[in-house]
Amino acid sequence: MTSSNSISTAKPILIVGGTGKTGRRVAERLDAQNVPVRIGSRSGSPAFDWEDRNTWLPALDGVKAAYITYYPDIAIPGATETVEAFARLAVDNGVKRLVLLSGRGEHEAQRAEKAFQQSGADWTIVRASWFAQNFSENVMLASILAGELALPVGDVGEPFVDANDIADVVAAALTDDRHIGELYEVTGPRLLTFAQATEEIASAVKRDIRYVTITPEQFSHGLAQEQLPPEIVGLLNELFTQVLDGRNEYLADGVQRALGRAPRDFSHYVQETAATGIWSDISEGQ
Ligand SMILES: NC(=O)c1ccc[n+]([C@@H]2O[C@H](COP(=O)([O-])OP(=O)(O)OC[C@H]3O[C@@H](n4cnc5c(N)ncnc54)[C@H](OP(=O)(O)O)[C@@H]3O)[C@@H](O)[C@H]2O)c1
């Protein structure tokens, strides 16, 4: 895509969740293009907290556009109302160019998308499949390091998407008006079961890492033992048992449509991540 319709770069772009898996990568891309960035998170300046609406307006003050990632998950009850309120506040304060990160096959996420589309924003939605980076940048990392990943998911194929591809799409959307009004469903180019994904990682790092399918009850019990709050246990259970029940077992063309190129394959992510050594430092998983 050319940047003939690019918006001015004088004011910063707010990245809500700017230290997270996609937000951090979007910030890097905008930085590289000399587009000023404001990180919207509890550790940002000014601090932004989804739980404290008094922090929303200061974060939006003087920005020209925003990338919105809701935390902990856009599929949790109440996320729609919160995202909608934030989008409307942004629009009312002159920040019309908004890009939302959403998830596939989730009733609540699709409800949030609709509310977002009706907020008056010049919107773009990036609706993503499971991130490949969940294997290296969140709770699954500890399991990989411990040598056993146990989840309540059987032989269902998921087209894991690389967070770098999401960031490329989001950075393009934030800097080129031709993406306004587009809903990009972004996935990787290949369906893999969790067992196959684990096998690829194991073979790249030459370690014995097993994948085990467990029941939802065993999964919830394990999470509760780790002292996770009940709402997060419920959310993770719902994500694994409902979103990965086969409804999302298909590829989508969002990366190709937005960027004019194919998405990165899971094996690319695995080689790149294995080279960082993060899956080899077994002491981290203990
Ligand atoms: N992970 C996936 O596979 C996937 C797939 C599709 C869609 N999504 C969607 O992506 C979004 C982000 O999920 P993620 O798991 O990838 O997380 P993430 O972006 O890695 O999340 C962490 C970010 O959220 C910030 N944060 C945490 N609590 C916050 C709060 N109360 N207020 C403001 N910022 C807060 C963190 O910064 P601080 O700690 O500094 O506040 C950090 O920047 C969710 O809406 C999810 O539904 C995820």
Side-chain angles (χ1 to χ4, degrees):
M1 288 248 168
T2 68
S3 55
S4 54
N5 293 334
S6 296
I7 46 185
S8 142
T9 55
K11 292 166 150 186
I13 292 180
L14 173 67
I15 304 182
V16 177
T19 54
K21 287 187 276 300
T22 64
R24 175 168 60 80
R25 291 174 164 87
V26 172
E28 282 167 8
R29 280 154 177 77
L30 296 179
D31 264 353
Q33 294 173 44
N34 293 319
V35 176
V37 158
R38 179 181 299 164
I39 301 297
S41 86
R42 293 165 305 173
S43 54
S45 179
F48 172 88
D49 191 340
W50 282 113
E51 308 287 328
D52 178 2
R53 292 190 182 208
N54 293 325
T55 65
W56 294 8
L57 205 46
L60 284 164
D61 186 40
V63 304
K64 67 176 177 194
Y67 172 46
I68 305 171
T69 67
Y70 182 71
Y71 194 87
D73 198 288
I74 195 158
I76 61 167
T80 296
E81 289 67 27
T82 307
V83 166
E84 181 179 19
F86 182 74
R88 287 189 185 275
L89 184 73
V91 171
D92 288 350
N93 285 277
V95 187
K96 283 197 77 177
R97 188 70 189 98
L98 302 178
V99 178
L100 176 70
L101 177 64
S102 182
R104 299 203 312 163
E106 299 170 314
H107 175 70
E108 274 301 311
Q110 269 67 84
R111 214 165 69 79
E113 290 173 4
K114 281 216 172 63
F116 179 68
Q117 287 168 324
Q118 289 161 7
S119 65
D122 288 336
W123 60 267
T124 304
I125 294 171
V126 181
R127 183 195 282 166
S129 58
W130 268 72
F131 303 168
Q133 277 73 9
N134 289 335
F135 288 94
S136 47
E137 295 179 25
N138 83 355
V139 285
M140 290 195 328
L141 174 61
S143 306
I144 297 285
L145 291 172
E148 181 177 294
L149 180 61
L151 297 173
V153 190
D155 258 355
V156 173
E158 172 69 12
F160 298 101
V161 65
D162 194 313
N164 290 299
D165 280 339
I166 299 176
D168 284 343
V169 173
V170 171
L174 287 167
T175 53
D176 191 328
D177 287 353
R178 283 179 297 173
H179 298 284
I180 291 173
E182 296 288 346
L183 191 162
Y184 295 119
E185 187 157 324
V186 297
T187 74
R190 188 159 57 107
L191 291 168
L192 285 112
T193 63
F194 275 79
Q196 289 167 334
T198 307
E199 209 174 286
E200 287 209 20
I201 294 169
S203 126
V205 294
K206 300 187 176 49
R207 289 190 38 223
D208 186 20
I209 309 168
R210 292 194 322 134
Y211 179 77
V212 185
T213 302
I214 54 174
T215 65
E217 292 71 30
Q218 288 170 319
F219 182 60
S220 295
H221 183 69
L223 292 175
Q225 303 277 82
E226 287 173 33
Q227 321 269 305
L228 284 178
E231 62 273 19
I232 300 292
V233 173
L235 168 69
L236 287 172
N237 225 327
E238 189 175 307
L239 284 179
F240 280 110
T241 53
Q242 293 184 20
V243 178
L244 293 164
D245 64 356
R247 76 184 72 179
N248 286 330
E249 210 170 14
Y250 65 93
L251 308 178
D253 65 355
V255 174
Q256 182 72 42
R257 263 197 321 118
L259 304 174
R261 65 156 174 84
R264 294 168 170 89
D265 190 75
F266 189 75
S267 62
H268 182 270
Y269 155 76
V270 169
Q271 293 308 324
E272 209 174 59
T273 309
T276 69
I278 196 165
W279 287 323
S280 305
D281 185 1
I282 296 172
S283 61
E284 271 200 30
Q286 291 170 346

